[in-house]
Amino acid sequence: MKLFDEIPAERPATPLLDTLDTPAALRAMSTAQLAQVADELRAYLLYSVGVSGGHFGAGLGVVELTVALHQALETPHDRLVWDVGHQAYPHKILTGRREAMLNIRHHGGLAAFPRRAESEYDTFGVGHSSTSISAALGMALAARTRGEQRRVCAVIGDGALTAGMAFEALAHAGHVDANLLVVLNDNEMSISENVGGMASYLARILTSKPYTTMRESGKKVLSHLPGALELARRTEEHMKGMVSPATLFEEMGFNYIGPIDGHDLPLLVQTLRNMRDLEGPQFLHVKTCKGKGFLPAEADPIGYHAITKLEKNGAPPPLKPATPAPAKKKYCNVFGDWLCDMAAADERLIGITPAMREGSDLVRFSQQYPERYFDVAIAEQHAVTLAAGMACEAMKPVVAIYSTFLQRGYDQLIHDVAVQDLDVTFAIDRAGLVGEDGPTHHGSLDLSYLRCVPGMVVLAPADEAECRAMLSAAYHHPGPAAVRYPRGSGPGVEIPAHLEPAPIGRAQVRRESGAEAGRRVALLAFGSLNTPAAEVAERLDASHLNMRSVKPLDRDAVLAAAADHDLLVTLEENVVAGGAGSAVNELLATEGVRGTVLNLGLPDAFVEHGKPAELLAECGLDADGIEAAIRRRLAGGDGTAMTGEAR
């Protein structure tokens, strides 16, 4: 294996890789040629991510595994399902998208994750974790039903295997005896330690044709002898259990193989070829190193999980800024500081995260209050119900979770928290359009799915100071409450050191319109869209209300605005359907107020990937787009495709 200590600034020479438009050619290659392809693939991966930015370490860790999978399986006839998709860059390179990789995650370029519409080799669209085994099992059972001969393989990481959904799928696969291969890409040693040469030797033996023939023939012979077959099965099980963590997966109905070295390409190819032809559920445990082959990433797999594009001089971007951090704090940093400060003030506070410690800025809290910090792995449902249980015992749990990931814990939010009116605070990060990771990661639905839950308080800060104050307000509210805030930094408002809560259900008038009757416009802005709203209000001489609270709404402020203005414009970085604008419409209808409302928000479609500014402009939610939609409405037009109205 060729090792790298820097990211190539120029495109490396990849003569063998360049001949591969599809992975079919891999099946005719020698072991030496496959090794060369792997080296060239790793070099090109380093170069392309250096140009584009994006997910980094996971792909480097599965270079050999990806080559081996496409060599052993007849893709796309055989189905290959990747979990999450952080590790799918090598797969994309080998399946006809090599040159397009330079624009991955960019607006109009390749998606960050496998996507069915992009390639026939992308068998299942992903982005969230722990779906691969369920999807692959569905494909395997469909093939059985249709009488088709094809292999189906799911590749799942040790982190994704912590989710309950993965174990539900494993249990079902064993029950129906599906022809399914599950490859566990274990790069954190969370399942077991690698037992070295013995494990590799065992893997070769357990997948070899002589062994499998003997195993199946032995079953037939021993089946006629009372008790002998069960004795043989138990003997085999215990022999495996002495040298591998087979017991759990064997008990679920899988034939467990491994762990084996995920960077030993000949071993991977041999093992996968043998397992490909085995009947029933198969489980291959592969040990890999995240960032393998790039020495800085091997040393810091967390820091190199994803990178921005290279600087012009060819040097990789620093993981930490060389100069002091700018004055503008990210919203997640505001939350992280608030959590530590509130924990110091209230010993009942508990911090909970589903495997998002770094992303949610819980590092300092986990260090200062380790006994009050709980990372539940990728288990969003459990995170919410865990918080509910803590709240039942007079604790004050704070669940730090991304908007798109809270969708997974929605049933628990309703039945375990809201129905019981439990005191749980939800700090919802990544609300709105998050950018390059695309529709699976946009937090575009939370205002809609939270607002309909009885008893739920929903707050949306316009800036960093409001975020801190709203977190305190949600924390002190004696029931379920959520604060949703965007990815990245805010407008740069000074953040107070105190923990005074913001008022719940009270809007803030930021500007009064001086326009003449018939052209008086009021902008009712929620959360992040207060920034463009301020600019538009100046251009149109409109009133500007920072609504602050989505639920409960400031009834008096809305009715006053409706009485004094000719047009109300609601602004939210959320889908229009069921969102904050819908709440305004419902209030006016309930009160019998006849007025004109223009609802501006995200369209009734899944927004693609790109920089947030690009996407907001595309959705008509930048200052220019908002102004244009209002002018069309004032001129008698019908607004834009993503607008609605209530009269």
Side-chain angles (χ1 to χ4, degrees):
M1 177 190 300
K2 186 177 180 180
L3 301 178
F4 298 83
D5 56 12
E6 63 181 19
I7 299 174
E10 303 292 333
R11 191 192 191 288
T14 54
L16 193 54
L17 182 66
D18 293 346
T19 66
L20 297 177
D21 293 322
T22 71
L26 292 171
R27 295 159 208 154
M29 288 186 177
S30 66
T31 301
Q33 288 175 312
L34 291 174
Q36 182 182 339
V37 168
D39 285 342
E40 293 181 7
L41 179 56
R42 182 169 277 109
Y44 186 82
L45 178 63
L46 287 168
Y47 163 73
S48 67
V49 180
V51 171
S52 66
H55 302 113
F56 190 74
L60 289 170
V62 297
V63 166
E64 287 78 16
L65 177 60
T66 306
V67 172
L69 284 166
H70 279 294
Q71 200 278 343
L73 300 175
E74 294 184 10
T75 56
H77 173 75
D78 291 337
R79 307 303 196 212
L80 180 58
V81 183
W82 298 93
D83 208 285
V84 185
H86 290 146
Q87 75 276 46
Y89 287 23
H91 162 79
K92 288 184 180 245
I93 294 170
L94 289 177
T95 53
R97 290 166 280 181
R98 182 178 58 251
E99 303 306 322
M101 290 294 295
L102 302 182
N103 290 315
I104 195 169
R105 302 173 80 241
H106 292 196
H107 192 235
L110 293 181
F113 308 102
R115 186 176 184 183
R116 282 172 54 83
E118 195 175 283
S119 170
E120 63 178 334
Y121 292 91
D122 292 359
T123 59
F124 195 74
V126 293
H128 285 196
S129 82
S130 316
T131 62
S132 61
I133 304 176
S134 295
L137 176 58
M139 296 174 187
L141 294 179
R144 176 193 290 178
T145 303
R146 294 166 62 94
E148 296 173 344
Q149 295 298 314
R150 68 170 86 246
R151 301 301 304 185
V152 182
C153 174
V155 184
I156 188 169
D158 55 305
L161 197 64
T162 61
M165 184 177 179
F167 283 90
E168 292 173 21
L170 287 170
H172 187 212
H175 175 70
V176 297
D177 197 33
N179 286 335
L180 173 68
L181 170 61
V182 175
V183 177
L184 171 61
N185 172 29
D186 181 5
N187 58 25
E188 291 291 344
M189 295 186 288
S190 63
I191 304 295
S192 73
E193 296 288 337
N194 195 335
V195 292
M198 178 60 76
S200 297
Y201 174 74
L202 181 67
R204 289 191 180 96
I205 295 297
L206 295 180
T207 62
S208 65
K209 291 191 182 297
Y211 174 83
T212 53
T213 301
M214 182 177 67
R215 184 173 184 261
E216 296 305 315
S217 300
K219 284 183 180 180
K220 295 178 182 178
V221 174
L222 295 174
S223 64
H224 301 292
L225 302 176
L229 181 59
E230 178 63 16
L231 177 63
R233 188 192 67 80
R234 291 187 178 184
T235 302
E236 181 188 40
E237 177 182 304
H238 288 294
M239 287 180 63
K240 287 184 177 181
M242 290 170 58
V243 290
S244 68
T247 304
L248 171 63
F249 302 109
E250 293 275 1
E251 289 296 328
M252 298 181 84
F254 280 77
N255 176 43
Y256 174 94
I257 305 297
I260 68 172
D261 183 357
H263 304 293
D264 186 336
L265 187 55
L267 174 63
L268 282 170
V269 169
Q270 181 183 349
T271 304
L272 285 167
R273 282 178 178 172
N274 289 336
M275 296 190 75
R276 176 190 62 196
D277 299 324
L278 299 180
E279 296 292 316
Q282 308 294 323
F283 193 100
L284 175 62
H285 185 171
V286 174
K287 298 287 291 185
T288 63
C289 172
K290 195 171 183 178
K292 184 69 175 179
F294 184 62
L295 300 179
E298 290 186 31
D300 185 9
I302 295 175
Y304 278 93
H305 171 71
I307 65 169
T308 57
K309 64 181 182 180
L310 288 177
E311 304 297 329
K312 291 183 177 179
N313 61 5
L319 298 179
K320 298 180 180 178
T323 56
K328 293 172 65 173
K329 271 193 174 183
K330 293 181 177 179
Y331 280 103
C332 64
N333 303 140
V334 175
F335 166 72
D337 292 343
W338 171 86
L339 192 67
C340 291
D341 294 344
M342 186 60 79
D346 188 347
E347 63 183 13
R348 297 173 299 166
L349 184 148
I350 302 288
I352 301 171
T353 178
M356 286 288 119
R357 185 182 74 157
E358 284 77 17
S360 297
D361 197 28
L362 287 167
V363 175
R364 183 159 69 93
F365 178 80
S366 69
Q367 295 168 345
Q368 292 185 358
Y369 302 98
E371 73 286 354
R372 294 155 68 183
Y373 166 75
F374 295 93
D375 185 340
V376 302
I378 302 174
E380 294 90 352
Q381 294 172 309
H382 170 58
V384 176
T385 303
L386 176 72
M390 291 177 172
C392 289
E393 299 301 321
M395 303 305 286
K396 297 274 288 182
V398 178
V399 180
I401 193 166
Y402 292 3
S403 169
T404 183
F405 297 156
L406 183 55
Q407 294 164 191
R408 292 188 153 196
Y410 188 54
D411 178 74
Q412 289 67 31
L413 182 148
I414 295 171
H415 290 276
D416 299 337
V417 176
V419 168
Q420 304 184 90
D421 194 31
L422 293 175
D423 190 0
V424 177
T425 300
F426 295 92
I428 303 175
D429 198 352
R430 273 56 170 186
L433 299 176
V434 300
E436 290 85 350
D437 284 343
T440 59
H441 283 61
H442 294 321
S444 55
L445 306 173
D446 55 82
L447 294 186
S448 301
Y449 71 66
L450 290 173
R451 192 177 71 78
C452 66
V453 179
M456 177 68 66
V457 167
V458 185
L459 307 175
D463 53 52
E464 302 91 333
E466 278 197 349
C467 185
R468 182 177 174 92
M470 286 181 179
L471 286 165
S472 293
Y475 183 79
H476 291 302
H477 175 73
V483 181
R484 60 102 71 170
Y485 46 89
R487 182 182 189 180
S489 57
V493 172
E494 183 179 353
I495 306 167
H498 61 72
L499 292 168
E500 293 297 316
I504 294 176
R506 283 174 52 189
Q508 174 194 40
V509 179
R510 291 192 167 186
R511 189 184 190 282
E512 292 275 9
S513 173
E516 61 185 15
R519 302 207 41 102
R520 288 177 58 82
V521 176
L523 305 180
L524 280 57
F526 296 85
S528 58
L529 291 192
N530 274 281
T531 299
E535 185 176 344
V536 174
E538 291 292 335
R539 295 180 188 179
L540 299 178
D541 191 13
S543 296
H544 173 200
L545 280 73
N546 170 22
M547 295 303 295
R548 291 177 168 168
S549 181
V550 179
K551 186 177 183 179
L553 271 180
D554 188 336
R555 174 182 177 275
D556 293 340
V558 173
L559 294 179
D564 294 339
H565 298 83
D566 304 289
L567 174 64
L568 300 186
V569 182
T570 65
L571 301 169
E572 61 191 304
E573 200 170 336
N574 187 85
V575 294
V576 171
S582 293
V584 173
N585 300 345
E586 292 162 13
L587 173 60
L588 294 176
T590 300
E591 297 293 334
V593 175
R594 295 182 61 83
T596 302
V597 182
L598 175 63
N599 301 133
L600 297 180
L602 297 177
D604 187 24
F606 291 107
V607 179
E608 295 300 333
H609 58 276
K611 295 185 181 302
E614 294 174 328
L615 301 179
L616 285 169
E618 188 175 82
C619 295
L621 293 179
D622 62 345
D624 291 341
I626 294 168
E627 181 187 3
I630 295 171
R631 290 190 182 279
R632 282 195 296 270
R633 177 55 58 89
L634 292 174
D638 60 357
T640 63
M642 69 280 298
T643 67
E645 69 173 330
R647 296 186 183 274

